[in-house]
Amino acid sequence: FNEGYGSTAYDSSSNQSNGTVTNATWQSREQCISGKCLYFDGTGDYVDATTADWLSSDSLGTISAWIKTSDVSSYPTIFSSADYASSLYYMVLNLEQTTGVIRFIQRNNDTQDTLSGTTNLADNNWHHVVVQSDGSNYLFYVDGNLESTNLDAGSDSGDWFADTPNRDNFDIGIMKWNSTTSYPFNGHIDEVKVYNYVRTQAQIRRDYNAGASGFGGSEGVGVGIGQRPQQYLSQGLIGY
């Protein structure tokens, strides 16, 4: 999200999974975590990429993002990957409608797995959110800290991209499934990253500290931590 203009959000990883920006508006550096970011107004703003079975070989990994919102009235979506034509195959990272806690939902034409955290994030402050799977279980982190996890439905299966076939998109700020767009995000999103490995708690805390130190600054995490940490942060990065 460092472009700051135009209708394309470029993937900085080697995968080049670029997304099309629809309605979301670019924000200036002082409003973001690192460089530029996007504001989603909750009425159909999103970033979309049409890619069949994106990351279908990844059975574990990490998804992280910085978010800022005070509105969770519509189960706001941070990241999703789904089958647009059905309601049977999807992965979605969002916030719970009443409590504002982080949630991760996965379905593979079976019983939906739903897990949630415990920290209310709907306070109009920036928060670093992470969901990861080791192939057997899910973990959440909020602002660098391991989050307690509640199993709301299904099982804590750890099912990831490789376990969720028939997906034909991935989106930021909305979920495209069942022939419609649903659960729009209302607020700011920055630094969405997908890794093909399970990041350690020390790595996640380093990510959080690097981003938090950029509040109000003109640079942010992208250049504020030097060459060696930057290489460390990008190792295994497959979507950014």
Side-chain angles (χ1 to χ4, degrees), residues 1-10 19-27 36-39 46-47:
F1 288 174
N2 289 328
E3 294 78 15
Y5 66 93
S7 60
T8 301
Y10 292 96
T20 300
V21 179
T22 299
N23 298 326
T25 55
W26 293 104
Q27 304 296 293
K36 306 299 178 64
C37 62
L38 282 170
Y39 175 73
Y46 57 91
V47 179

Side-chain angles (χ1 to χ4, degrees), residues 1 10-17 49 54-66 78-81 91 93 104 128-133 160-162 167 169-172 190-199 207 232-240:
F1 288 174
Y10 292 96
D11 180 5
S12 299
S13 77
S14 60
N15 279 350
Q16 296 296 296
S17 301
W54 189 57
L55 306 183
S56 60
S57 63
D58 291 357
S59 58
L60 50 79
T62 305
I63 301 171
S64 67
W66 282 90
I78 302 165
F79 172 91
S80 68
S81 184
M91 297 168 55
L93 175 64
F104 185 74
H128 186 242
V129 297
V130 176
V131 61
Q132 58 183 201
S133 169
W160 204 240
F161 292 101
R167 294 171 292 108
N169 63 70
F170 68 91
D171 289 84
I172 298 167
D190 200 0
E191 294 290 286
V192 180
K193 298 182 180 182
V194 181
Y195 296 85
N196 63 0
Y197 67 97
V198 178
R199 289 178 71 72
D207 295 346
Y232 178 69
L233 285 170
S234 62
Q235 183 180 10
L237 184 64
I238 52 177
Y240 170 35

Side-chain angles (χ1 to χ4, degrees), residues 38-54:
L38 282 170
Y39 175 73
F40 303 76
D41 69 5
T43 59
D45 299 4
Y46 57 91
V47 179
D48 171 68
T50 301
T51 304
D53 288 329
W54 189 57

Side-chain angles (χ1 to χ4, degrees), residues 125-163:
N125 292 312
W126 280 106
H127 293 285
H128 186 242
V129 297
V130 176
V131 61
Q132 58 183 201
S133 169
D134 62 5
S136 300
N137 302 101
Y138 300 108
L139 289 176
F140 292 134
Y141 289 86
V142 172
D143 295 338
N145 297 310
L146 182 63
E147 183 88 340
S148 296
T149 303
N150 298 312
L151 179 61
D152 301 325
S155 62
D156 185 1
S157 64
D159 284 352
W160 204 240
F161 292 101
D163 308 296

